[in-house]
Amino acid sequence: MKGVSVKRGDKLDDIWDRPPHTAAKHELLAMYLDAWFAIFGQSNRGRAVYLDGFAGPGSYKGGEDGSPILAVKRLLEHRAFDRLAGTEFVFAFNEGDPTRHAELCRAIERLKEPYGDAWPKSIQIVEPTNLEFGQFANGIIASLEGKQLAPTFFFIDPFGYRDISMKQVAEVLKYPACDLLIYFDFNSANRFATAGNVDHLFEEYFGSDAYKNAPPAGDPRRAEYLHDCYEAGLRSICKMSHIQSFAMETDGGRVGYYLFFCTNDLQAFDRMKAAMWKIDPSGGFRFSDKFAGQNVLFGPQQSTAPLRHAILKNFAGRTVRVPEISRWVIEATPFHSGQLKRATLQPMEKQGEIAVHRPHSRAQFNNDVTVTFPQT
Ligand SMILES: C[S@@+](CC[C@H](N)C(=O)[O-])C[C@H]1O[C@@H](n2cnc3c(N)ncnc32)[C@H](O)[C@@H]1O
């Protein structure tokens, strides 16, 4: 595709050092992709598409992989790779800066080289484009016109807020089975939204002018308002029903940006939340450069105590099957299904808080098991 590349707006080298919050982002992406490849690679849809609109140069100064290389490697090294061979995985990367784009092309060559003719036929890496993001997105929208899109994972990871329009993102995502992982430039929004000088950009960024009603700088409610305003856009404009954000504290313990994960698939949502809990076992959905590499002190039961209370409250006086409880946990709480049975229901049963009925099986919390909750 012909188009214009971007003039570099950041002060970084072609390839830069990978900060801890980027390593955390990569870990999150890698864990989620393990699940995504398995879910959609075995769904008999024949094809799955991975889009990265701000792909970067493909590697960091210390030799770590950038997100495009990481994504492909995660598939190549997937433990169920043989079972996924019936699905064609298409990777489309875009990097706007010409020098970084050239680096990215070289990184892909380095990745493929050792395979030679043995490169898996099920993995197609489209030649990376060197376009401004809007053009990349428009190209995808045009190529999809009238077609049923394959399950798609869309990664949007810019440095700032200037190059993205919520409505354009929504156009790419208007087909079913699209997941989105998107960077929300909280730091800039917090500093400049309502300052009046870049209003038109924020209107595109948020998808509406609701951000203008944010409480003024210094008001403790401002941060939450801006976060929720962006989330509301993802919900109403991009039509995403399950959304979970993850805060990245980049300097001095302040939130620099959020990663928003959005999907309409409950299983996918469950897997991403599980990945987020691995990065932050406190359940705070937050990573801090300041504490990178330090051990966390939360055990699984300590951290699921709020889930226990929420379940007791929500199902008070009712008898329900385990899958219904699980569905509610994924949909309506910050927890994931892996925290329900052993870490939550089992101790509740032991302590006589719930009555468990197991009709046909001896298995702990099978799908046919029902649970009676006390009245509150
Ligand atoms: C945060 S970095 C990407 C990092 C990469 N996703 C990773 O995790 O390894 C953002 C990239 O977007 C590129 N970029 C900046 N503005 C752009 C634009 N308008 N369109 C496309 N790419 C752009 C920058 O050159 C930079 O390489």
Side-chain angles (χ1 to χ4, degrees):
M1 193 190 303
K2 282 215 155 52
V4 286
S5 48
V6 297
K7 199 164 155 283
R8 191 175 297 183
D10 59 84
K11 295 189 177 72
L12 295 168
D13 291 341
D14 297 341
I15 292 180
W16 59 94
D17 283 321
R18 185 176 78 162
H21 61 86
T22 301
K25 176 178 71 185
H26 287 168
E27 230 177 299
L28 201 63
L29 182 66
M31 279 192 274
Y32 179 70
L33 285 180
D34 283 348
W36 188 79
F37 290 136
I39 296 172
F40 294 107
Q42 296 179 88
S43 66
N44 296 327
R45 303 209 207 189
R47 212 164 183 234
V49 179
Y50 180 96
L51 304 173
D52 188 342
F54 294 84
S59 66
Y60 287 81
K61 259 194 185 152
E64 304 91 342
D65 291 326
S67 59
I69 304 299
L70 176 154
V72 180
K73 272 194 183 166
R74 216 60 194 189
L75 176 58
L76 282 166
E77 291 162 13
H78 201 287
R79 63 192 152 84
F81 187 73
D82 292 342
R83 271 185 281 138
L84 306 178
T87 296
E88 181 191 25
F89 289 92
V90 180
F91 291 86
F93 303 125
N94 177 65
E95 165 55 41
D97 180 283
T99 322
R100 290 176 183 156
H101 171 262
E103 284 290 348
L104 173 61
C105 294
R106 280 193 285 276
I108 293 171
E109 275 167 27
R110 284 197 300 276
L111 173 69
K112 290 177 90 171
E113 204 191 327
Y115 289 84
D117 291 342
W119 180 260
K121 293 200 172 22
S122 59
I123 303 182
Q124 193 203 335
I125 306 178
V126 179
E127 195 183 329
T129 47
N130 176 213
L131 299 170
E132 182 274 315
F133 174 75
Q135 284 194 321
F136 173 67
N138 282 340
I140 289 166
I141 294 162
S143 71
L144 294 175
E145 214 42 68
K147 288 192 200 138
Q148 177 70 30
L149 184 64
T152 299
F153 182 90
F154 197 7
F155 185 34
I156 301 182
D157 184 30
F159 280 132
Y161 63 94
R162 290 178 174 271
D163 311 301
I164 301 174
S165 130
M166 180 75 82
K167 289 187 178 133
Q168 202 170 35
V169 174
E171 275 294 302
V172 181
L173 295 172
K174 72 182 177 194
Y175 301 87
C178 281
D179 290 355
L180 170 68
L181 184 63
I182 189 164
Y183 168 105
F184 169 51
D185 186 358
F186 171 76
N187 183 38
S188 300
N190 192 30
R191 285 169 64 201
F192 306 130
T194 66
N197 46 350
V198 280
D199 276 359
H200 62 290
L201 293 178
F202 279 111
E203 208 155 315
E204 297 260 304
Y205 192 53
F206 282 89
S208 80
D209 62 2
Y211 73 90
K212 288 183 179 166
N213 301 324
D219 187 316
R221 294 164 303 167
R222 180 175 170 87
E224 189 178 341
Y225 182 93
L226 290 169
H227 169 280
D228 292 355
C229 194
Y230 197 70
E231 178 170 335
L234 293 168
R235 243 177 242 291
S236 63
I237 301 169
C238 297
K239 306 269 185 294
M240 287 287 165
S241 40
H242 309 302
I243 300 180
Q244 179 65 57
S245 65
F246 194 94
M248 293 292 191
E249 291 178 3
T250 46
D251 68 297
R254 278 196 307 267
V255 175
Y257 64 96
Y258 286 90
L259 288 174
F260 273 90
F261 175 71
C262 315
T263 183
N264 289 315
D265 184 290
L266 207 58
Q267 193 186 3
F269 193 47
D270 194 32
R271 297 306 176 84
M272 180 51 105
K273 283 202 289 183
M276 288 177 171
W277 272 87
K278 277 216 172 108
I279 307 266
D280 180 4
S282 77
F285 295 93
R286 183 174 285 258
F287 174 87
S288 177
D289 276 2
K290 232 164 74 177
F291 303 118
Q294 293 185 15
N295 287 335
V296 270
L297 300 168
F298 293 88
Q301 296 200 3
Q302 231 173 323
S303 52
T304 57
L307 177 58
R308 206 159 154 161
H309 294 128
I311 289 177
L312 283 170
K313 191 165 168 224
N314 187 66
F315 294 103
R318 292 177 53 200
T319 296
V320 268
R321 288 178 63 234
V322 168
E324 189 186 333
I325 309 171
S326 181
R327 191 182 167 87
W328 178 80
V329 168
I330 303 166
E331 256 181 346
T333 79
F335 294 86
H336 62 91
S337 63
Q339 294 164 306
L340 177 63
K341 298 178 182 176
R342 226 158 57 104
T344 308
L345 293 179
Q346 199 180 71
M348 288 172 87
E349 183 183 15
K350 271 198 187 134
Q351 286 156 28
E353 276 186 312
I354 51 174
V356 180
H357 319 283
R358 299 191 171 84
H360 304 299
S361 71
R362 281 183 294 149
Q364 278 293 318
F365 289 99
N366 262 359
N367 282 354
D368 58 354
V369 169
T370 53
V371 179
T372 302
F373 294 90
Q375 292 282 4
T376 46

